Amino acid sequence: DAGITQSPRHKVTETGTPVTLRCHQTENHRYMYWYRQDPGHGLRLIHYSYGVKDTDKGEVSDGYSVSRSKTEDFLLTLESATSSQTSVYFCAVQRGGKDYGYTFGSGTRLTVV
Amino acid sequence: AQSVTQPDIHITVSEGASLELRCNYSYGATPYLFWYVQSPGQGLQLLLKYFSGDTLVQGIKGFEAEFKRSQSSFNLRKPSVHWSDAAEYFCAGLYNQGGKLIFGQGTELSVKP
């Protein structure tokens, strides 16, 4: 949607394994975000980036790390996956200018068994 | 702390009836406000947004929202609900540009025939 691609769309992984989710954008947006969605909690911010190699923590960052080595890619890594990280993960970009707002990717459904 | 609250977790309305979904934001600086809709298994679609100016905002799919500073509210309305409106609705606030979008917990809407 609007140039944002998340991969993979679905993943099942085992507890204790590392997992990396990818968000790719084609519109050169500066700000990118990772959210997780859980029932009863809405979407909660994990990490965000305000430029290449510039990242910061959100409200639920424990157990997650991110990297942004180029403008178009924002990677989310679960260092050692736990069952509590089973969730749907959304990437978003902030659009500037007249159409100011946010665009979300289609999500990655991650199951940790 | 900055927050957005949706008091109703689940609402059921009859098809053709009017709808109002509630959203309150923590008072202080007025955030930019957004309403998103999410159909099952899908990403988030923007319905409408409020930055400033006219307090009644028109969106897509026949939705509107009214900003009321005195009540710290930004409620979403639709005069006549269609079965296809069944989905989850999220209110979100942005307290500073370039910052983090804060979501409410979401309201799930069911539509009775």
Side-chain angles (χ1 to χ4, degrees), chain B residues 35-58:
Chain B
W35 273 101
Y36 288 90
V37 61
Q38 184 183 38
S39 297
Q42 302 298 310
L44 279 77
Q45 181 182 23
L46 179 67
L47 288 174
L48 46 79
K49 59 188 177 184
Y50 172 76
F51 293 168
S52 64
D54 193 346
T55 56
L56 187 62
V57 181
Q58 300 298 320

Side-chain angles (χ1 to χ4, degrees), chain A residues 98-112:
Chain A
K98 290 192 306 181
D99 191 28
Y100 183 85
Y102 291 76
T103 301
F104 288 81
S106 300
T108 294
R109 182 172 295 275
L110 177 68
T111 302
V112 183

Side-chain angles (χ1 to χ4, degrees), chain A residues 1 9 31 33 35 37 40-43 45 48 57 90 94-95 98-102 104-106 109, chain B residues 32 34 36 38 41-44 46 49 51 88 90 94 96-106:
Chain A
D1 187 10
R9 291 296 312 276
Y31 291 90
Y33 307 82
Y35 287 87
Q37 182 181 17
H41 292 279
L43 279 78
L45 184 66
Y48 66 103
K57 296 179 180 179
F90 286 98
Q94 186 191 88
R95 304 184 316 276
K98 290 192 306 181
D99 191 28
Y100 183 85
Y102 291 76
F104 288 81
S106 300
R109 182 172 295 275
Chain B
Y32 290 359
F34 304 80
Y36 288 90
Q38 184 183 38
Q42 302 298 310
L44 279 77
L46 179 67
K49 59 188 177 184
F51 293 168
E88 188 153 23
F90 293 95
L94 177 67
N96 54 79
Q97 287 195 46
K100 298 159 272 189
L101 196 59
I102 298 172
F103 283 84
Q105 300 87 332

Side-chain angles (χ1 to χ4, degrees), chain A residues 6-104:
Chain A
Q6 289 187 234
S7 59
R9 291 296 312 276
H10 301 271
K11 185 170 181 67
V12 180
T13 192
E14 294 187 348
T15 298
T17 61
V19 177
T20 295
L21 309 182
R22 181 181 184 236
C23 178
H24 179 78
Q25 57 135 334
T26 60
E27 298 180 347
N28 207 36
H29 296 293
R30 177 182 174 192
Y31 291 90
M32 298 184 74
Y33 307 82
W34 276 108
Y35 287 87
R36 60 177 289 175
Q37 182 181 17
D38 305 288
H41 292 279
L43 279 78
R44 293 177 292 174
L45 184 66
I46 305 171
H47 281 281
Y48 66 103
S49 170
Y50 44 96
V52 173
K53 298 187 179 177
D54 291 324
T55 64
D56 205 348
K57 296 179 180 179
E59 65 176 305
V60 290
S61 59
D62 287 349
Y64 302 94
S65 62
V66 290
S67 67
R68 192 165 178 204
S69 59
K70 43 186 179 176
T71 300
E72 57 265 38
D73 288 325
F74 192 31
L75 304 180
L76 176 70
T77 297
L78 288 64
E79 308 286 352
S80 176
T82 67
S83 58
S84 65
Q85 294 176 311
T86 292
S87 187
V88 180
Y89 291 85
F90 286 98
C91 173
V93 298
Q94 186 191 88
R95 304 184 316 276
K98 290 192 306 181
D99 191 28
Y100 183 85
Y102 291 76
T103 301
F104 288 81

Side-chain angles (χ1 to χ4, degrees), chain B residues 11-105:
Chain B
I11 285 181
T12 300
V13 300
S14 298
E15 190 167 16
S18 64
L19 170 70
E20 182 168 25
L21 302 182
R22 296 184 292 165
C23 173
N24 294 98
Y25 63 91
S26 58
Y27 54 86
T30 300
Y32 290 359
L33 293 161
F34 304 80
W35 273 101
Y36 288 90
V37 61
Q38 184 183 38
S39 297
Q42 302 298 310
L44 279 77
Q45 181 182 23
L46 179 67
L47 288 174
L48 46 79
K49 59 188 177 184
Y50 172 76
F51 293 168
S52 64
D54 193 346
T55 56
L56 187 62
V57 181
Q58 300 298 320
I60 63 171
K61 304 186 179 188
F63 286 92
E64 65 178 27
E66 186 171 13
F67 172 71
K68 293 185 177 180
R69 185 186 303 275
S70 62
Q71 298 176 17
S72 298
S73 69
F74 187 56
N75 294 350
L76 182 72
R77 302 193 296 243
K78 188 170 185 177
S80 177
V81 170
H82 188 262
W83 64 266
S84 61
D85 292 324
E88 188 153 23
Y89 292 79
F90 293 95
C91 182
L94 177 67
Y95 283 83
N96 54 79
Q97 287 195 46
K100 298 159 272 189
L101 196 59
I102 298 172
F103 283 84
Q105 300 87 332

